[in-house]
Amino acid sequence: MPSERIIRIGVLALQGAFEEHQRSIESISSTIKTVQIRTPDQFDDIDGIILPGGESTAMGLIGDATDGLWHALRTFVHRGDKPTWGTCAGMILLAERCVGTSAVITKGQSLIGGVDILVCRNYFGSQVSSFEMHTPPPPAPCCAGEIDELRDFDTASAFPGVFIRAPAILTAGSDVEVLGKVVAAPCRSAAVVLRELERKIEAGENVTQMGVVDALERKGGGIRYADVRLHKETNASAEGCCFEEEKKEVTAMEESTNIELPGASDGTNAREVICAVRKGKVLCTAFHPEIADDLRWHKYFCGMVLAAKNESKE
């Protein structure tokens, strides 16, 4: 098989579900190979890279501690000539802004950046709150005619999105293409973060990163959960977004989707959030496609890689 026909996709292998991504990618076609990326010198030999789900804080700590790795990854992503795909924790790393970052990191979440999105870390809850829900399918992959396995692509059926300690995209810049949205309530801790975020935006602050916020109230020696229902409509025109829908709209969405998530906050906090975006050659998904028994998102990314490789030959 001619080497120019082989697509080589790197998978960042610091922590998380990198082996699951490898199995998914390599099961598509014998012309698509994967390599685990752990050192900066490996970026020259790949046609695209996947940042897997896992623990974004741990990935950032390991990446920062590995000489030259984070710089090489940033260079690869921001150069923009080869595709990058971040899933769940990988999506957090690719965000320009993030709220609900880990309380154990004093200098802030170590982000790669590259996509103008505001991400709420752990929006859907803790590990025990993991769930699966229907999400929009990806578009048909580019260059499907060049690899037989990319043909006959189903763009109509919902994709089984698996959410494990998953983030949500709250806002996306004008140059970011939204590929999927879902309606869901934030978990209790995320709802408190969102309430604090809205307070900061109302005060005119430009929030880039914000840590977790205590969801408990302590009065008279007793401890109880804070009321995290969002009552007041907020017009955050400075950020180009509005985090709180009108109550009638929220009620209508809840009735139409009937989503009940474990660990969700009290009240009518269900809102539409973004779960998949693309900016140029960078793809982000909040869920874990590598765990689902469905290869459509992996095929879509392979189409992106193939298109970019063909573009480089022109």
Side-chain angles (χ1 to χ4, degrees):
M1 183 180 301
S3 59
E4 62 269 15
R5 290 191 56 201
I6 295 177
I7 298 174
R8 290 183 176 85
I9 296 177
V11 184
L12 188 66
L14 303 182
Q15 188 268 346
F18 53 89
E19 291 182 340
E20 288 82 353
H21 271 296
Q22 286 186 276
R23 284 195 291 268
S24 296
I25 288 289
E26 294 193 346
S27 66
I28 294 173
S29 170
S30 60
T31 64
I32 307 173
K33 306 297 183 182
T34 64
V35 57
Q36 295 182 4
I37 302 297
R38 292 191 176 92
T39 59
D41 59 295
Q42 295 177 291
F43 287 89
D44 294 335
D45 299 324
I46 57 175
D47 302 306
I49 190 169
I50 297 174
L51 312 186
E55 173 44 64
S56 60
T57 302
M59 290 183 192
L61 290 171
I62 298 170
D64 282 336
T66 305
D67 188 32
L69 178 61
W70 234 225
H71 174 73
L73 182 55
R74 284 195 180 96
T75 300
F76 185 96
V77 174
H78 289 269
R79 193 171 59 215
D81 58 338
K82 296 180 179 180
T84 300
W85 178 19
T87 64
C88 196
M91 182 186 81
I92 295 174
L93 295 176
L94 293 172
E96 294 287 349
R97 296 176 291 160
C98 181
V99 296
T101 56
S102 174
V104 302
I105 304 299
T106 58
K107 295 183 180 180
Q109 178 80 45
S110 181
L111 303 177
I112 297 297
V115 185
D116 182 14
I117 52 177
L118 171 60
V119 169
C120 180
R121 190 171 175 266
N122 292 347
Y123 177 93
F124 295 97
S126 63
Q127 193 86 9
V128 296
S129 301
S130 303
F131 66 99
E132 179 180 317
M133 69 185 293
H134 286 168
T135 61
C142 301
C143 307
E146 299 186 33
I147 297 180
D148 290 340
E149 292 83 358
L150 300 185
R151 298 175 181 175
D152 301 322
F153 194 86
D154 178 13
T155 59
S157 302
F159 186 88
V162 178
F163 293 78
I164 303 173
R165 294 185 63 194
I169 301 173
L170 303 178
T171 66
S174 59
D175 60 346
V176 178
E177 179 185 5
V178 175
L179 299 179
K181 296 180 179 180
V182 294
V183 177
C187 70
R188 182 182 297 275
S189 60
V192 177
V193 168
L194 296 182
R195 185 176 62 180
E196 178 66 11
L197 175 63
E198 290 174 350
R199 187 193 65 77
K200 288 178 176 291
I201 291 175
E202 281 186 316
E205 296 185 39
N206 182 20
V207 180
T208 300
Q209 288 199 44
M210 192 178 81
V212 295
V213 181
D214 196 350
L216 300 177
E217 289 183 346
R218 299 168 175 83
K219 295 181 179 180
I223 297 177
R224 65 183 180 86
Y225 281 111
D227 180 2
V228 293
R229 290 171 292 178
L230 305 177
H231 301 292
K232 185 168 64 173
E233 184 177 353
T234 303
N235 182 10
S237 57
E239 292 291 321
C241 63
C242 180
F243 292 104
E244 181 66 26
E245 300 85 0
E246 292 182 1
K247 188 172 182 180
K248 290 182 179 178
E249 293 179 355
V250 174
T251 303
M253 287 190 295
E254 285 181 322
E255 290 176 351
S256 64
T257 55
N258 193 30
I259 297 172
E260 293 189 13
L261 303 178
S265 58
D266 298 332
T268 57
N269 280 353
R271 63 182 69 200
E272 186 177 62
V273 292
I274 303 168
C275 63
V277 298
R278 177 176 174 177
K279 178 187 176 183
K281 293 182 175 63
V282 182
L283 175 67
C284 296
T285 54
F287 45 88
H288 287 262
E290 76 281 4
I291 296 177
D293 188 21
D294 191 322
L295 295 175
R296 282 179 290 170
W297 278 104
H298 288 86
K299 290 181 178 181
Y300 178 72
F301 182 67
C302 287
M304 290 176 58
V305 174
L306 184 58
K309 191 169 185 179
N310 289 342
E311 182 181 307
S312 68
K313 296 178 182 177
E314 296 177 356

